Amino acid sequence: MAQALESIPNNVDLSSDRRLQRALEQWQPNFLSWWREVGPEGFQAHQIYLRTAVSVEPDGWATFDYVRMPEYRWGIFLAPKAGERKIGFGDNYGEPAWDEVPGEHRNALRRIIVTQADTEPASVEQQRLLGRIAPSLYDLRNIFQVNVEEGRHLWAMVYLLHRHFGRDGREEAEELLARRSGSSDKPRILNAFNEPIDDWLSFFMFAMFTDRDGKYQLSALAESGFDPLARTTRFMLTEEAHHLFVGEMGVDRVVQRTGELMAQGKDPRKERAVPLDVIQRYLNQWFTLSLDLFGGEVSSNAADFFAAGLKGRFREDDQPEHKALSESYRLEVPENGALVEQEVPLRNAMNEVLRDEYVKDCQRAVDRWNKTLQRSGVNGLSLRLPSRRFHRGVGPCATATFDPEGRLISEADYEARKGEWLISEADRAYVKALMHPVYERGKMASWIAPPSKGINGMAADHEYVKPPDA
């Protein structure tokens, strides 16, 4: 159980390691300074109806109450240790999982943890101004829930760095608070986490597509032979599900509102809603940016991580062969102006194997949005995922230009038509012009439908955010 009276709630017996506890207690005020500087702007004194983890037990990991965000009980929680766990894949398949970092894997594990950790504060920084333009109190509460949990996920990774990587880990933990999303001097590690998010359609797409990449990365790390990392990411996944819900259902509500207006014969632009073609361009851009987060289609690093037992596949237990030595993966890559089929060892295609699962999950969500369009009365129009070859900045497809159907086209054709496919400055300006805050209980912005139900059994029009003097 967590120690509720400790300054850092945890289930890792932090008080038994005074040196580690002191190091984290010294990091804590730096974290709070970072939060106040670049966390949600304008609402630090408000009372927010938030879910807080106080333990990993069913009655403890999701307790709801009104909390001022700087007073949120950020803590360190690992999923319970499940007996003598074995490594489930790679060259070390069947051997005991590691409780400490093997020396030969120290640098690789540190790199994996730091890259994952860097995404958590980055997304808070990207979203810091969105409370100023929230479409409802319900949505305002949801973004703050996402923000505080990203902060807790940062704590989870920082604990691993401090506990298992000595001075190097402590220095990395400080750097996590020094980098800034979009900075020209010290940007965040991954490109998608330096993209501006200054409207709610971008936020919903980010939570839908970019956070969904996080689901699959965390799922792969939950298989890790380094047991503290596996246990940490398994618990993080319980909280991540809400972030994905916020994104998927946020887009669904935007689509619903647009569909209802179209079915009535109204122009969404004239009704201050988001036209379907604009939604499609936002979808194209955020989906393809998020595809790049998985890395190149062929990767020696991915092969090495799998072989060593550091990072597995999604639901590794369901795989027929856990060493992946005898299988190969077929993919199409551009070569001399044409697509050619290439067969690579399966271990070298682990990024693509994970990306396959991600794309299937994204397609399920797009199918849901299209059903919402149909229920709204719109027939013959639909949203679609672009080809995974389109608009890529990583891997072999980054060396050529493709249309959204995945057909090779000339660079001149791509430049001439990219305004049809990707977010334009006019799109950004139009969507930003819709972003007027709605803080009145039960009210909703003109461009989004209300949610079908509220949070934790509360009504959709519950007062999820209260002013400081309430």
Side-chain angles (χ1 to χ4, degrees), residues 121-322:
S123 61
V124 176
E125 292 164 3
Q126 286 174 295
Q127 298 157 21
R128 65 184 300 259
L129 300 178
L130 292 182
R132 299 285 197 183
I133 50 173
S136 71
L137 288 182
Y138 168 88
D139 293 292
L140 185 62
R141 176 263 169 211
N142 278 348
I143 196 169
F144 295 154
Q145 182 71 62
V146 170
N147 292 160
V148 295
E149 288 180 348
E150 301 291 18
R152 203 205 66 74
H153 296 175
L154 173 61
W155 268 97
M157 296 286 112
V158 164
Y159 164 75
L160 294 179
L161 290 170
H162 273 266
R163 167 66 178 80
H164 295 281
F165 293 90
R167 177 181 293 178
D168 290 343
R170 292 191 293 274
E171 291 175 355
E172 294 282 15
E174 292 301 324
E175 283 298 300
L176 289 168
L177 298 178
R179 288 187 286 272
R180 291 289 183 270
S181 176
S183 167
S184 57
D185 298 323
K186 300 194 76 170
R188 291 298 173 180
I189 294 170
L190 299 174
N191 286 340
F193 292 88
N194 290 302
E195 288 288 313
I197 301 179
D198 47 16
D199 65 74
W200 275 74
L201 184 56
S202 290
F203 166 65
F204 288 141
M205 292 291 182
F206 176 95
M208 164 63 209
F209 291 115
T210 309
D211 275 341
R212 197 166 301 274
D213 159 78
K215 167 188 172 180
Y216 285 90
Q217 300 297 341
L218 292 174
S219 295
L221 295 176
E223 307 287 346
S224 179
F226 179 41
D227 199 48
L229 175 59
R231 292 167 57 207
T232 295
T233 51
R234 283 203 300 275
F235 185 69
M236 287 168 69
L237 283 164
T238 62
E239 295 174 321
E240 196 73 21
H242 178 70
H243 308 187
L244 305 184
F245 165 83
V246 169
E248 182 174 335
M249 296 310 298
V251 176
D252 192 68
R253 290 161 54 214
V254 177
V255 169
Q256 179 185 338
R257 175 62 176 155
T258 298
E260 289 169 350
L261 292 169
M262 292 172 67
Q264 296 167 18
K266 296 178 180 178
D267 181 350
R269 284 185 182 272
K270 293 181 179 178
E271 302 297 327
R272 297 188 56 75
V274 188
L276 203 59
D277 63 318
V278 175
I279 297 174
Q280 180 67 62
R281 288 193 285 276
Y282 272 70
L283 185 164
N284 288 349
Q285 186 134 339
W286 282 104
F287 173 67
T288 53
L289 283 172
S290 302
L291 286 176
D292 281 348
L293 294 172
F294 289 87
E297 282 79 348
V298 181
S299 169
S300 58
N301 281 335
D304 291 344
F305 292 164
F306 184 88
L310 306 183
K311 183 178 179 182
R313 287 171 285 189
F314 181 66
R315 295 178 177 166
E316 182 65 44
D317 286 348
D318 296 340
Q319 302 298 329
E321 202 275 302
H322 298 295

Side-chain angles (χ1 to χ4, degrees), residues 19-30:
R19 182 178 178 182
L20 175 61
Q21 186 177 31
R22 283 195 300 270
L24 288 170
E25 286 174 346
Q26 289 170 2
W27 188 82
Q28 189 176 37
N30 296 337

Side-chain angles (χ1 to χ4, degrees), residues 27 68 91 101 119 164 223 234 275 296 334 361 363 378 380 464 468:
W27 188 82
R68 292 179 179 87
D91 293 343
V101 177
T119 69
H164 295 281
E223 307 287 346
R234 283 203 300 275
D361 199 4
Q363 185 60 58
V378 175
Y464 289 104

